[in-house]
C-alpha cells in the first residue's frame, strides 16, 4: 500500500503543480461584484453585480466603437417548453451596440417549444425567408439570400427538418440556423436552457475583438440547488477542468482544445475555414470537436461565465447519472482499454489516498493524508464558485466513485445495444469529439 500511496501523491503533485492550474477559480468574463449566478438573489440572473468593467481585462470599449460585428444567435431546441421563454427573452434583451438577431430552430419538438417561442415574436416578426410560422427551415444551399436582405427581425423561429444520415440532431438544427444567419460576422451558438444577462453578448464579443479570437466559449453557471446537485454538479465542472485545463486551452502554443456548448461565439470566417458546422456533424461531444477544429488554425478562449446560467435542473442522482453516462464511453472512443485505464487511473488518484489515510500504517498513512489533502485543496476553488461548504472537499473521493460507476455504466449500455440516447433519439455508433 505504501508504494501505491506514494504514487498517488506523485500524481497529485503533478496535477496541482504542473497541469495548467486546472483547479483555479478563473478565468472569467464576468463583472466585478458578481456574487451569485445561481438565481438566489433575484433578477434576470439572480444576484448579478452592477454593470462595470468585465473581469480579466476585457474592455467595454472593445464593442463600443463605431464598427461592431453583426451577430446571429442560433438556438437549437427540442422539447424545451419549460425553459425556452426565459432563454429567448434574455437573448432579445441583450444590450449590444451592433446588429444582432436570434434564430431558434425547433428540432421536431413534441411539446409547445415552437409555439411558445413564436409567441415572443410580436406582430410581423417573421423574416423574409419565413412567410408562414409552419414553414420549414430553408435548405442549406440557399443561405445567402437572407444575408442580402436589410429586413432583419430580432427573433425568427424555424421548423427544423429531420437530420440526414451522419448528422446528430442538434448539429443539424444548428446548421439550419446558421444557414439562415445571412451575413452575420459572428455566430453565438447557445443552448435552449441558458439564461443570459443583458451584458453577456457584449462581453463575449469584447473578448473576441480584443484578443483576435476565433472562438470564445464559457462554462455557464450550472443549477446547484438540491442534494444531488450539491454533491455532483461542482465536481462535473472540476473534472471538466481537469480534462481540459483552461490555461492550456487558451494557450495558442498548446494543442489542448475544448469549449463548453452552452455558450460558443465563433467568427463566421473561422467556421468557413474548417468547412462549416458539417466538419463536426456526427460528433456528440460537439463543443470539444468544434474547438479542436478551430484551434488548428486559429485562437480560442475558454472560461467561466458570470453572466449566463443554465436553468435546467438535475433534481436527482439518476438524472445526473444519465447525463454523465450519455457520452462517457463515447469520450473514451468505445475502447475497453481506455475504459480500464481510466478506471484504474481514477481509482489510484481519488480512491487510494483516502484508503491509505484510513487503513494504512506508518508511511502509507502519511502519504495518503498528504495526497488526500492535496486533492481536497484543489477542489476548494470550485466549491467556492458554487457557494458550497469546504466540507464537500473531503468527500470528493465518493463523488469520483459515482462518476467512475457512471462511466462503466455508459460502457455497459453500449455493449447491451442501448447506444447513446438523448431527447428520444438513439445514436448507435456515435462519434465523440
Amino acid at each position: 500500500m505504501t508504494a501505491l500511496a506514494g504514487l498517488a501523491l506523485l500524481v497529485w503533485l503533478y496535477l496541482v503543480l504542473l497541469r495548467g492550474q486546472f483547479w483555479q477559480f478563473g478565468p472569467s468574463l464576468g463583472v466585478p461584484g458578481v456574487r451569485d449566478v445561481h438565481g438566489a438573489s433575484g433578477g434576470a440572473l439572480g444576484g448579478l453585480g452592477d454593470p462595470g468593467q468585465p473581469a480579466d481585462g476585457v474592455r467595454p470599449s472593445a464593442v463600443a466603437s463605431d464598427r461592431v460585428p453583426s451577430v446571429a444567435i442560433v438556438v437549437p431546441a427540442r422539447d424545451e417548453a419549460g425553459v425556452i421563454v426565459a432563454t429567448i427573452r434574455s437573448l432579445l434583451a441583450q444590450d449590444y451596440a451592433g446588429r444582432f438577431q436570434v434564430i431558434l430552430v425547433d428540432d421536431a419538438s413534441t411539446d409547445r417549444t415552437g409555439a411558445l417561442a413564436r409567441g415572443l415574436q410580436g406582430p410581423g416578426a417573421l423574416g423574409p425567408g419565413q412567410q408562414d410560422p409552419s414553414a420549414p427551415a430553408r435548405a442549406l444551399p440557399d443561405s445567402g439570400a437572407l444575408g442580402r436582405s436589410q429586413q432583419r427581425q430580432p427573433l425568427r423561429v424555424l421548423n427544423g427538418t429531420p437530420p440526414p444520415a451522419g448528422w446528430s440532431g442538434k448539429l443539424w438544427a444548428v446548421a439550419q440556423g446558421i444557414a439562415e444567419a445571412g451575413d452575420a460576422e459572428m455566430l453565438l451558438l447557445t443552448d435552449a436552457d441558458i439564461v443570459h444577462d443583458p451584458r453577456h453578448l457584449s462581453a463575449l464579443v469584447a473578448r473576441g475583438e480584443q484578443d483576435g479570437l476565433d472562438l470564445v466559449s464559457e462554462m455557464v453557471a450550472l443549477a446547484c440547488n438540491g442534494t444531488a446537485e450539491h454533491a455532483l454538479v461542482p465536481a462535473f465542472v472540476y473534472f471538466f477542468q481537469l480534462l481540459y485545463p483552461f490555461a492550456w486551452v487558451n494557450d495558442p502554443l498548446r494543442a489542448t482544445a475544448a469549449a463548453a456548448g452552452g455558450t460558443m461565439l465563433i467568427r463566421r470566417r473561422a467556421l468557413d475555414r474548417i468547412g462549416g458546422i458539417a466538419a463536426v456533424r456526427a460528433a456528440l461531444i460537439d463543443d470539444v470537436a468544434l474547438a479542436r477544429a478551430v484551434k488548428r488554425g486559429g485562437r480560442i478562449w475558454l472560461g467561466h461565465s458570470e453572466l449566463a446560467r443554465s436553468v435546467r435542473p438535475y433534481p436527482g442522482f439518476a438524472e445526473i447519472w444519465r447525463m454523465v453516462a450519455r457520452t462517457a464511453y463515447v469520450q473514451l472512443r468505445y475502447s475497453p482499454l481506455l475504459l480500464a485505464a481510466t478506471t484504474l487511473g481514477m481509482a489510484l488518484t481519488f480512491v487510494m489516498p483516502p484508503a491509505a489515510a484510513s487503513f494504512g500504517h506508518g508511511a502509507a498513512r502519511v502519504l495518503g493524508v498528504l495526497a488526500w489533502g492535496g486533492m481536497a485543496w484543489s477542489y476548494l476553488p470550485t466549491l467556492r464558485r458554487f457557494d458550497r461548504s469546504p466540507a464537500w472537499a473531503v468527500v470528493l473521493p465518493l463523488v469520483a466513485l459515482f462518476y467512475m460507476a457512471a462511466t462503466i455504466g455508459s460502457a455497459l449500455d453500449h455493449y447491451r445495444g442501448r447506444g447513446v440516447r438523448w431527447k428520444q433519439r438513439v445514436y448507435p455508433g456515435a462519434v465523440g469529439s
Side-chain angles (χ1 to χ4, degrees):
M1 179 175 281
T2 301
L4 290 175
L7 184 57
L9 179 58
L10 289 176
V11 168
W12 277 107
L13 287 173
Y14 161 74
L15 293 177
V16 170
L17 299 177
L18 300 176
R19 193 163 175 80
Q21 294 185 319
F22 77 93
W23 40 265
Q24 66 182 350
F25 190 84
S28 172
L29 290 186
V31 293
V34 174
R35 297 189 58 84
D36 177 16
V37 291
H38 301 288
S41 303
L45 282 178
L48 283 170
D50 295 331
Q53 178 174 323
D56 289 351
V58 177
R59 300 186 306 273
S61 60
V63 289
S65 61
D66 293 335
R67 179 68 183 92
V68 292
S70 57
V71 181
I73 304 173
V74 178
V75 186
R78 180 176 170 88
D79 294 338
E80 299 284 8
V83 297
I84 198 61
V85 171
T87 294
I88 297 301
R89 281 179 174 166
S90 72
L91 290 171
L92 294 176
Q94 290 302 297
D95 183 12
Y96 183 61
R99 179 166 56 100
F100 77 96
Q101 60 175 322
V102 180
I103 303 171
L104 181 136
V105 183
D106 183 10
D107 183 19
S109 296
T110 59
D111 60 11
R112 300 183 63 242
T113 295
L116 290 171
R118 291 187 181 94
L120 300 175
Q121 287 181 311
L126 292 176
Q130 186 92 31
Q131 299 301 321
D132 183 86
S134 61
R138 186 193 306 273
L140 295 183
D142 298 331
S143 61
L146 181 62
R148 293 186 291 271
S149 171
Q150 300 301 312
Q151 301 298 318
R152 295 308 181 102
Q153 304 296 336
L155 171 63
R156 304 183 66 238
V157 180
L158 310 176
N159 283 339
T161 59
W167 283 79
S168 76
K170 175 184 175 181
L171 288 178
W172 177 244
V174 169
Q176 293 173 86
I178 291 173
E180 296 289 341
D183 59 359
E185 298 161 87
M186 287 186 164
L187 301 159
L188 174 58
L189 312 181
T190 185
D191 288 343
D193 64 304
I194 309 299
V195 174
H196 306 256
D197 180 271
R199 299 159 289 177
H200 193 209
L201 180 57
S202 292
L204 290 167
V205 174
R207 171 62 74 179
E209 291 294 275
Q210 177 178 315
D211 295 338
L213 302 169
D214 286 328
L215 176 66
V216 180
S217 182
E218 289 183 307
M219 173 69 73
V220 303
L222 303 179
C224 191
N225 299 308
T227 300
E229 291 172 336
H230 288 170
L232 301 175
V233 167
F236 177 84
V237 175
Y238 175 85
F239 291 137
F240 184 84
Q241 294 175 205
L242 178 59
L243 283 173
Y244 308 106
F246 289 7
W248 289 4
V249 171
N250 300 340
D251 185 348
L253 300 180
R254 286 187 175 270
T256 305
T263 299
M264 297 189 294
L265 180 75
I266 185 170
R267 290 187 190 275
R268 171 66 72 108
R269 66 172 182 262
L271 188 61
D272 291 342
R273 169 173 56 80
I274 67 172
I277 205 70
V280 295
R281 60 185 175 273
L284 287 188
I285 310 175
D286 52 90
D287 42 12
V288 175
L290 182 62
R292 285 176 177 165
V294 172
K295 192 173 184 180
R296 290 189 188 107
R299 294 188 59 195
I300 66 175
W301 187 91
L302 173 63
H304 294 281
S305 181
E306 307 290 355
L307 297 175
R309 65 180 174 95
S310 171
V311 293
R312 187 186 307 285
Y314 291 94
F317 290 92
E319 288 81 4
I320 298 177
W321 176 286
R322 286 192 289 269
M323 182 265 291
V324 175
R326 186 176 75 246
T327 57
Y329 202 43
V330 178
Q331 179 79 37
L332 297 177
R333 301 194 293 275
Y334 304 108
S335 168
L337 291 177
L338 285 178
L339 175 65
T342 299
T343 302
L344 290 174
M346 290 193 69
L348 173 67
T349 305
F350 292 97
V351 179
M352 177 52 63
S358 301
F359 305 110
H361 301 280
R365 173 168 292 181
V366 172
L367 293 170
V369 169
L370 290 174
W372 195 0
M375 178 199 317
W377 178 85
S378 72
Y379 195 35
L380 293 177
T382 301
L383 292 172
R384 181 161 61 93
R385 175 169 292 281
F386 283 89
D387 292 327
R388 295 295 100 212
S389 166
W392 283 103
V394 180
V395 298
L396 181 58
L398 294 178
V399 176
L401 281 173
F402 176 93
Y403 278 87
M404 289 169 58
T407 301
I408 295 171
S410 178
L412 292 176
D413 286 343
H414 172 73
Y415 291 115
R416 290 169 180 167
R418 296 178 182 176
V420 178
R421 298 174 182 269
W422 179 242
K423 296 291 184 77
Q424 291 78 53
R425 282 194 176 119
V426 179
Y427 298 94
V431 300
S433 57

